[in-house]
Amino acid sequence: MAAPPSSKASNATTPAVVASGLSLVFQTADTPVTALSNVDLTIARGEFVSFIGPSGCGKTTLMRVIADLEQPTAGRIEVNGTTPEQARLARAYGYVFQAAALYPWRNVLRNVLLPLEIIGIPAAERRERALKQLALVGLEGFEKKYPWQLSGGMQQRVSIARALALQPELLLMDEPFGALDEITRDHLNEQLLRLWERTGKTVIFVTHSISEAVFLSNRIVVMSPRPGRIIEIIDNTLPAGRNLDVRETPEFAAVAHRVRLALRAGHSYD
Amino acid sequence: MTETRTPLRRHTLPVIAVLTAVVLIWYAAAVWLNAPQVSERLEGIGEPWGWRELVNGTWSMERPVLPAPHQVADNWWTSVFDTAVDSPRSLIFHAGVTLGATVLGFALGMALGILIAIGVVHSAVLDRGLMPWIIASQTIPILAIAPMVVVVLGSMGYPPLMSKAVISMYLCFFPVAVGMVKGLRSPDTLQMDLMRTYNASAVQRLFKLRLPAAVPFLFASAKVAMATSLVGAIVGELPTGAQAGLGARLLSGSYFGQTIQIWSALVMAALLGVALVAAVRATENATNRLMGARA
């Protein structure tokens, strides 16, 4: 492994993300919109953290700030001990969007190869790496298919394999299963959890499904809109190694209830 | 039931129906347009004449106002198949000369159009500064500048092929530039954000995202450009007293009142245009297959 440019970043105890007093105000035509207001958050390495909240609560914006796709207007943020821009330039994270955003003129294998071509991995190695990621998301045998030949769930799995191909320590997932049916979503949730347990990556996951957040995460960051801010950060007491049956337990219901109460508190002001 | 129809019924029958209608209208128009001359001549002979003599006369004149389809077909057949290819009476020879200028002008126009589009998409200065000039360039009638291009390039020692190709290029870079600007800007926000998360360079974004995304736009423009390029090459042969090419053939036909020769050269130009656009379409289909498009 090549050492990252900053000596601070190579320290394994450096948190994946540290935000303090983070704010972002969008200048729109009529009035400024406060997308994020005074956000304080620390995410340790290896955590699975979900951002949950209604539309407009800034959960996607916060994720995009971490990814250096938006610039905060106040406060501080560090990713792997560096600025988000340095982290992006070092290709420190993989981003999975709401839609699969596959390139339709590339087949499955070549879509996963794309990031590896861009960072200049030698041809033989990038093929090996891409095939490994496709196996990880259960898509062996689909290498030659084009995106239009796949179901929505399979397309999203390709996009996860594509994000994993960079071998990032940090995986940013923005409502990746939001457009899928519930059966497919359950299946992919379980696969994602197994993947996280096997790889030990840090995962930040945006969702508006309470059961998805409780099932997947160590910690659940509950957010509220107007202005976008953090209401409460809930530690998930459910044990590791969960399967879908855990959702029928009283412990699961108790955590979900806490999340629901926090979401309701976020709405109490109006 | 659409799905039980054979390709013959879906494609061939409509074409034959339209073609038959065109030929019938053409014959009728030939009678109508040539009738004054023919009836004058029949009166001059002084013998009694009727519809049969009139119609036969209008369809067999040597220099008709509008030649009948079979006269044009006969002339076309003779000048294509019964004439030596290197003879100045061979339509194959003239079509070949025009084809060379068309294809060269098309290639130059595609290259120029793509380069302009890449510049416009990557530079706000070019976007604002260049587009008005490009649009203005297309408002100048090509007939006005064609002679100047021929004279200037000729005096610089370029062969006629080059001046015709430049005129073609001038006409056909425009649809390519406009189509490609739209095509290069067609990737959506997520596809562009993805490139940003990879820290991709502008060159990588161009070759791995913008250009592949622009391919459907490129082929739509290329079909227009190819047809326009043929028009440009023919126009380039008109004002220059060119000895060879379909334009020269049209011009000499009109000097000598050889209307049948004009029409047969026009038919040749139309067939050439159809063949060239079909070639672009075949390239498009092959490219689509390579790019995994839905069959």
Side-chain angles (χ1 to χ4, degrees), chain B residues 102 106 138 167-173 175 221-235 277:
Chain B
T102 304
F106 173 76
Q138 299 302 304
I167 292 164
S168 283
M169 176 191 77
Y170 182 88
L171 281 182
C172 77
F173 83 90
S221 298
K223 283 176 220 163
V224 179
M226 186 58 103
T228 317
S229 180
L230 177 60
V231 172
I234 291 174
V235 167
V277 173

Side-chain angles (χ1 to χ4, degrees), chain A residues 64 68-69 71 88-89 91 93 97 99 101-105 114-115 117-118 146 148 162 166, chain B residues 190-200 204 208-209 212-213 289-295:
Chain A
R64 289 177 66 85
D68 189 39
L69 295 174
Q71 304 307 318
R88 179 174 66 82
L89 297 184
R91 284 116 172 179
Y93 65 83
F97 294 95
L102 302 178
Y103 289 5
W105 53 86
L114 174 72
E117 289 169 18
I118 286 171
Y146 281 89
W148 63 270
R162 181 179 60 187
L166 284 170
Chain B
L190 290 191
Q191 291 175 327
M192 291 300 286
D193 277 350
L194 192 66
M195 280 294 180
R196 189 169 155 81
T197 68
Y198 300 151
N199 184 24
Q204 287 173 326
K208 295 197 184 294
L209 176 56
R289 268 196 301 280
L290 282 178
M291 291 176 70
R294 234 169 272 235

Side-chain angles (χ1 to χ4, degrees), chain A residues 55-136:
Chain A
S55 302
C57 72
K59 53 193 193 297
T60 293
T61 307
L62 179 54
M63 182 97 109
R64 289 177 66 85
V65 169
I66 294 168
D68 189 39
L69 295 174
E70 303 285 355
Q71 304 307 318
T73 43
R76 264 174 16 90
I77 178 152
E78 282 188 359
V79 178
N80 288 345
T82 64
T83 66
E85 189 186 8
Q86 284 170 317
R88 179 174 66 82
L89 297 184
R91 284 116 172 179
Y93 65 83
Y95 203 114
V96 180
F97 294 95
Q98 281 163 333
L102 302 178
Y103 289 5
W105 53 86
R106 286 177 167 249
N107 63 25
V108 166
L109 178 64
R110 293 192 59 235
N111 263 292
V112 180
L113 287 173
L114 174 72
L116 302 176
E117 289 169 18
I118 286 171
I119 67 176
I121 304 284
E125 190 194 334
R126 65 182 180 231
R127 192 182 153 80
E128 188 190 320
R129 263 167 79 166
L131 289 173
K132 205 175 102 196
Q133 305 309 328
L134 281 171
L136 213 53

